[in-house]
Amino acid sequence: MSTSLILISNREAGSMLDAMSDPAGQAWAVNAREVLQRAGHHRGAARERLIDLLSDQDCALSALEIEDGLRRDGPVARASVYRTLELLHDHELVTRLELGDGVARYEPADPSGHHHHHHLLCERCGQLVPFDDAGLERSIRQLSRRLGFTTKEHEVTLRGRCPDCP
Amino acid sequence: MSTSLILISNREAGSMLDAMSDPAGQAWAVNAREVLQRAGHHRGAARERLIDLLSDQDCALSALEIEDGLRRDGPVARASVYRTLELLHDHELVTRLELGDGVARYEPADPSGHHHHHHLLCERCGQLVPFDDAGLERSIRQLSRRLGFTTKEHEVTLRGRCPDCP
DNA sequence: TTTCGTGCAAATTATTTGCACTTGG
DNA sequence: CCAAGTGCAAATAATTTGCACGAAA
């Protein structure tokens, strides 16, 4: 049974990406800007900053978390954050998640499938852990075919206890 | 590859359940009342009505939809709806879903696993379709074991085009 | 110089809470 | 009676929208 696994806590992932100067994120940002430009969009400051911030991220952030992050470098309007996220989502450049706590989270979308992953939310420590599983993906592909359903996005969320929380 | 399938549109399912006088729903309602009673809860009118309404349901409803449904038979306070849903969720009697449109939906939880299912949301016609797939469940079990994660709930959402919407 | 982006504040929407009153056991 | 449930209205929290002004192509 081939199961590929990426298991990264938010904190660890941040430093990993720092260490490798985040080539994947850069690629995403470049592509995102290109897509928006082709669609006839200008390059406003807030949007540019948001794209940079998201590209440094490995896992989902809420709109308010993004706003906070941006504010550390200077003021931003909340509306710009929401509008930019909506725009990115319309162009399928971000994935929008709702993990069951009433807050929408966003993360860079990954058309190549290289960084595709799902989420596991520990109900005890609140940690959000991205994971990837080939068997699961296979099941979903087969299932979609069987149902005659054209699946554009899919999302799997596990809620429970992580290995560190007994 | 054994893949069991239940494919029911909301509308069809409603009539199906009518036709068989909803034995599963009745069982759920009985159990729900028992669980709440054991926990020392009284039987207020709003809560009783909500349990009845949910037990007739095969798939997820939002709090506002539930409120509307209840109002057809008489007035209910919105707060009672939310409080009851919270209570049922605390006792794991309902499953709470967030399918990505900012609204929480609730449906009777199924400890037996008999009616366990996931959701498929057609982005074109908006139809919410419940489905069940053995292969998918197997993948999730294996995955949880491999990650050392104790999965209490899991949720799979597919978004795309249903067979009727080309 | 026109189209798009931004900021601010006000509006919406979903959900929660405080409190006085009613009801179940 | 006492604990729990209900309704109503006001409070939050997340997200959206209208509009005037500033910036990009």
Side-chain angles (χ1 to χ4, degrees):
Chain A
M1 185 73 28
S2 81
T3 300
S4 67
L5 236 193
I6 310 175
L7 226 187
I8 315 174
S9 82
N10 283 329
R11 196 159 298 174
E12 288 162 358
S15 41
M16 269 183 60
L17 292 173
D18 290 349
M20 59 168 96
S21 70
D22 190 16
Q26 292 308 325
W28 175 81
V30 168
N31 174 251
R33 292 192 166 101
E34 192 172 309
V35 169
L36 294 182
Q37 185 153 50
R38 280 204 191 124
H41 289 283
H42 297 176
R43 295 191 165 193
R47 186 136 78 209
E48 290 294 296
R49 291 211 279 142
L50 194 154
I51 289 174
D52 283 339
L53 188 153
L54 263 195
S55 73
D56 285 340
Q57 220 54 43
D58 63 305
C59 198
L61 290 181
S62 71
L64 284 317
E65 285 169 343
I66 290 170
E67 187 189 353
D68 284 349
L70 293 178
R71 269 195 211 291
R72 271 192 229 99
D73 281 295
V76 208
R78 178 158 306 179
S80 296
V81 173
Y82 282 103
R83 279 191 282 235
T84 298
L85 290 172
E86 188 189 358
L87 181 68
L88 291 171
H89 189 244
D90 286 348
H91 288 273
E92 295 174 38
L93 292 165
V94 296
T95 304
R96 182 196 170 109
L97 308 170
E98 305 216 9
L99 303 181
D101 57 357
V103 183
R105 283 162 225 262
Y106 302 82
E107 63 186 5
D110 179 23
S112 75
H114 267 204
H115 289 67
H116 176 75
H117 62 269
H118 296 293
H119 298 87
L120 187 157
L121 186 59
C122 179
E123 295 184 324
R124 188 155 206 284
C125 66
Q127 190 180 204
L128 182 60
V129 182
F131 70 84
D132 174 28
D133 183 89
L136 182 61
E137 298 303 323
R138 195 176 337 113
S139 293
I140 289 175
R141 274 196 305 280
Q142 290 176 351
L143 165 64
S144 299
R145 197 180 323 132
R146 192 175 298 264
L147 294 174
F149 195 82
T150 308
T151 301
K152 222 171 98 186
E153 292 188 281
H154 64 273
E155 189 178 320
V156 179
T157 307
L158 309 188
R159 269 183 293 273
R161 293 294 177 94
C162 71
D164 304 335
C165 288
Chain B
M1 186 71 30
S2 81
T3 300
S4 68
L5 239 192
I6 309 175
L7 227 187
I8 315 174
S9 81
N10 284 328
R11 195 157 299 174
E12 288 163 359
S15 41
M16 270 184 61
L17 292 171
D18 291 347
M20 58 168 98
S21 69
D22 192 15
Q26 293 307 325
W28 174 81
V30 169
N31 175 251
R33 293 193 165 101
E34 191 172 309
V35 169
L36 293 182
Q37 183 152 50
R38 280 207 191 120
H41 289 283
H42 296 176
R43 295 190 165 195
R47 190 180 294 161
E48 290 294 295
R49 291 211 279 143
L50 194 154
I51 289 175
D52 282 340
L53 188 153
L54 262 196
S55 74
D56 284 340
Q57 219 54 44
D58 64 303
C59 199
L61 290 182
S62 72
L64 284 317
E65 285 169 343
I66 290 170
E67 187 189 354
D68 283 349
L70 293 178
R71 269 195 212 291
R72 272 192 229 102
D73 281 293
V76 206
R78 179 158 304 180
S80 296
V81 173
Y82 280 104
R83 279 191 283 236
T84 298
L85 289 172
E86 189 188 359
L87 181 68
L88 291 170
H89 189 244
D90 287 348
H91 288 274
E92 296 175 36
L93 292 165
V94 296
T95 305
R96 183 197 167 106
L97 308 170
E98 305 215 11
L99 302 181
D101 57 357
V103 183
R105 283 162 225 262
Y106 301 83
E107 62 186 6
D110 179 24
S112 76
H114 265 204
H115 289 66
H116 176 73
H117 62 269
H118 295 292
H119 298 86
L120 188 156
L121 185 59
C122 178
E123 295 183 324
R124 188 153 205 283
C125 66
Q127 189 178 207
L128 181 61
V129 182
F131 70 84
D132 173 29
D133 184 89
L136 181 62
E137 298 302 323
R138 194 175 340 112
S139 292
I140 289 176
R141 276 197 303 281
Q142 291 176 350
L143 165 64
S144 298
R145 197 180 322 132
R146 193 176 296 263
L147 294 175
F149 195 82
T150 308
T151 301
K152 221 171 97 187
E153 291 187 282
H154 65 273
E155 189 179 321
V156 179
T157 307
L158 309 188
R159 267 184 292 274
R161 293 294 176 93
C162 72
D164 304 335
C165 289

